[in-house]
Amino acid sequence: EAGVAQSPRYKIIEKRQSVAFWCNPISGHATLYWYQQILGQGPKLLIQFQNNGVVDDSQLPKDRFSAERLKGVDSTLKIQPAKLEDSAVYLCASSLVWGDSGANVLTFGAGSRLTVL
Amino acid sequence: KNQVEQSPQSLIILEGKNCTLQCNYTVSPFSNLRWYKQDTGRGPVSLTIMTFSENTKSNGRYTATLDADTKQSSLHITASQLSDSASYICVVSAVSGNTGKLIFGQGTTLQVKP
């Protein structure tokens, strides 16, 4: 089974520039998540999709971050304009469905490391 | 407020030794608790998942325990290997109706030295 694919793996930009990250989840996984992980901290949920609908985007800084999952498969996370504090690893994860089941394991991608100068 | 606290923040042990990582949580309504291992530069990988009724679960040299009464969990690593060097993240699932949230701890960084 292919894993969660993310690109690019690394990106360095200057503040106020824009950047986009791409995620292709495991085939058949309905739920897709974007997490922000700042160095030394646990991942923080930015947005959760169920198919192509948004389930939770309460912690997404909507003035600069946007995400879409148009066909219910792959997803794009965009930051525009970037700030210094956006330097982090952006993790994409997917699971079969969301529900009260211990079998719903999240599979994470390797992440996209963003450095904002 | 839903919170997951892990201790210690970091730990250094010698290869072959055992260690125990702690996780305390205040999450409601509790659904399950997961331990993830995150190697440097990689995404987290699931080690164990425990529901309310389970108090221990093993995955090779990793054994997780759960005390739902005291809201504590531990991850015990036996006979550590250099490859165990990683960050270990405790994640608690809170589910209400058809919605759910995963609350992540900040992780414990383990370094195994030869």
Side-chain angles (χ1 to χ4, degrees):
Chain A
E1 175 182 78
V4 175
Q6 289 189 247
S7 68
R9 285 298 312 276
Y10 305 94
K11 189 74 176 179
I12 301 174
I13 62 173
E14 295 189 348
K15 59 183 179 184
R16 291 187 288 274
Q17 287 186 323
S18 63
V19 63
F21 302 112
W22 172 83
C23 172
N24 190 15
I26 291 174
S27 177
H29 279 195
T31 309
L32 184 148
Y33 313 76
W34 282 103
Y35 287 89
Q36 180 192 58
Q37 187 175 26
I38 293 172
L39 186 64
Q41 298 181 17
K44 181 184 92 170
L45 179 68
L46 293 176
I47 189 167
Q48 177 183 339
F49 292 96
Q50 184 74 17
N51 296 309
N52 60 351
V54 175
V55 173
D56 184 353
D57 64 354
S58 57
Q59 297 193 87
L60 185 74
K62 297 180 184 65
D63 58 333
R64 297 184 302 105
F65 286 64
S66 64
E68 59 184 14
R69 193 185 184 199
L70 291 175
K71 296 181 180 178
V73 181
D74 55 355
S75 175
T76 302
L77 175 71
K78 296 180 181 178
I79 307 173
Q80 182 179 11
K83 292 186 175 182
L84 296 176
E85 59 261 35
D86 298 332
S87 294
V89 174
Y90 291 86
L91 293 166
C92 179
S94 70
S95 66
L96 276 173
V97 292
W98 175 264
D100 186 11
S101 168
N104 286 346
V105 176
L106 267 66
T107 302
F108 285 85
S112 294
R113 180 178 296 277
L114 173 65
T115 302
V116 182
L117 303 176
Chain B
K1 181 183 177 183
N2 288 329
Q3 276 190 314
V4 176
E5 301 281 345
Q6 292 187 243
S7 62
Q9 187 173 2
S10 62
L11 184 61
I12 301 174
I13 63 173
L14 292 176
E15 186 179 12
K17 298 296 186 183
N18 303 336
C19 68
T20 301
L21 314 180
Q22 300 290 343
C23 173
N24 296 338
Y25 62 92
T26 53
V27 174
S28 182
F30 174 88
S31 176
N32 57 65
L33 185 146
R34 311 157 184 227
W35 282 94
Y36 281 85
K37 177 187 180 188
Q38 186 174 22
D39 293 314
T40 302
R42 312 287 290 180
V45 174
S46 178
L47 292 175
T48 63
I49 298 177
M50 288 182 293
T51 59
F52 185 88
S53 59
E54 297 174 296
N55 55 21
T56 187
K57 186 164 279 190
S58 293
N59 178 357
R61 294 179 297 101
Y62 301 101
T63 299
T65 64
L66 173 65
D67 186 333
D69 292 331
T70 61
K71 298 186 178 182
Q72 295 180 326
S73 176
S74 65
L75 180 68
H76 185 75
I77 304 175
T78 303
S80 61
Q81 300 177 359
L82 298 178
S83 59
D84 293 330
S85 296
S87 178
Y88 292 83
I89 304 174
C90 177
V91 185
V92 180
S93 170
V95 175
S96 177
N98 291 325
T99 64
K101 277 189 182 296
L102 293 177
I103 297 93
F104 285 74
Q106 79 278 23
T108 292
T109 300
L110 173 66
Q111 187 177 358
V112 180
K113 290 193 167 184

